[in-house]
Amino acid sequence: MIEIVPHQPRWAAEFQTIASQLRAALGELALRIDHIGSTAVPGLAAKDVIDAQITVAELDEHMANRLSAAGFERKPFNRDHLPPGRDDAPEQWSKFFFREPAGQRRAHIHVRRAGSANQRYALLFRDYLRAQPAMAAAYGELKRRLASSLADWETYPDVKDPAVDLIYLAAEQWAERSGWRQG
C-alpha cells in the first residue's frame, strides 16, 4: 500500500545520514550526492522514502560493487521513464538503482551519469517544485488522492508519471525563463 504523509522536517537530516554513508562507500567516485524527489521539497507531501541521487562520471560495475559491499541492495530497475517529446539516446536515461542496507531507514538510491538527461531531470524537477509552492501543493494533493483511490497500488507510478511529465514540461519552461542551472 502507498501512504502519502505530510512533509517531515526530519527528512533533510535523514538524507544527510544516508549521504554520509554513500560518500563513505564511494569516495571520489561520487561527484555529487543530492537529495531529490518529494522529500527534498519543503512542504510537499510524500511517501516516507528518502530519494538520493549519486552523480558519477560513468555507470560501471566497480562503483556498483562498492555500494553493494557497503550493504546497499542493487535492484534490476535500470532505466528512467522517458518524458514525452524526448528522443534522447537510451543511455541518457540509464541508471543504477539501489535500496538501503537491511535494517536501515528506507531509501531509494538513484545513480546517474553526470550530464545525462535523467541526472538533470531530477535536479530540475526538485528545484522547480521548491520555487513553485503552489505547484508542489497541487502535486502533493494528486499523490494523496492517487494513493487513496487506486485499487492496485502497484500501478501508482504508472498513473503518476503523466502528471510528473506535465510538471517537468512546466519546469523546463521555468528553467528557460529563470536561467536555472544545476547548482
Side-chain angles (χ1 to χ4, degrees), residues 32 34 36 53-55 80 83 86 88 92-94 112-128 168-183:
R32 60 187 288 168
D34 293 285
I36 61 166
Q53 176 172 270
I54 304 170
T55 300
D80 284 311
R86 299 296 304 238
D88 305 305
Q92 288 293 308
W93 297 89
S94 297
R112 296 179 174 118
R113 189 177 46 78
S116 65
N118 59 352
Q119 185 257 354
R120 179 183 181 278
Y121 178 109
L123 298 173
L124 173 59
F125 191 86
R126 177 203 64 196
D127 290 353
Y128 175 71
Y168 169 71
L169 293 171
E172 284 290 0
Q173 292 174 353
W174 170 80
E176 183 72 27
R177 285 191 318 270
S178 69
W180 176 86
R181 298 286 179 259
Q182 293 183 58

Side-chain angles (χ1 to χ4, degrees), residues 1-156:
M1 183 172 158
I2 302 284
E3 181 183 10
I4 304 298
V5 300
H7 181 82
Q8 304 294 309
R10 63 180 164 78
W11 287 338
E14 289 172 344
F15 164 74
Q16 290 301 326
T17 299
I18 294 164
S20 293
Q21 293 174 313
L22 295 169
R23 176 67 62 199
L26 292 175
E28 72 290 343
L29 294 178
L31 303 177
R32 60 187 288 168
I33 301 172
D34 293 285
H35 189 184
I36 61 166
S38 295
T39 62
V41 180
L44 179 55
K47 293 182 292 182
D48 191 18
V49 178
I50 302 296
D51 281 288
Q53 176 172 270
I54 304 170
T55 300
V56 295
E58 293 298 329
L59 293 175
D60 63 33
E61 291 304 317
H62 172 68
M63 178 275 310
N65 291 338
R66 284 180 61 173
L67 281 176
S68 294
F72 291 91
E73 182 182 358
R74 189 170 177 182
K75 296 294 187 178
F77 185 68
N78 61 7
R79 183 172 160 85
D80 284 311
H81 163 76
L82 183 67
R86 299 296 304 238
D87 60 358
D88 305 305
E91 63 270 8
Q92 288 293 308
W93 297 89
S94 297
K95 72 176 183 180
F96 291 162
F97 181 70
F98 288 82
R99 290 282 308 271
E100 73 282 351
Q104 292 192 14
R105 201 251 184 267
R106 183 122 184 253
H108 291 167
I109 313 301
H110 308 264
V111 185
R112 296 179 174 118
R113 189 177 46 78
S116 65
N118 59 352
Q119 185 257 354
R120 179 183 181 278
Y121 178 109
L123 298 173
L124 173 59
F125 191 86
R126 177 203 64 196
D127 290 353
Y128 175 71
L129 289 177
R130 285 177 173 174
Q132 304 294 323
M135 181 69 79
Y139 179 48
E141 183 59 26
L142 170 73
K143 293 190 305 176
R144 275 192 284 276
R145 290 182 188 195
L146 282 177
S148 68
S149 301
L150 287 176
D152 177 6
W153 63 269
E154 290 185 6
T155 63
Y156 176 83

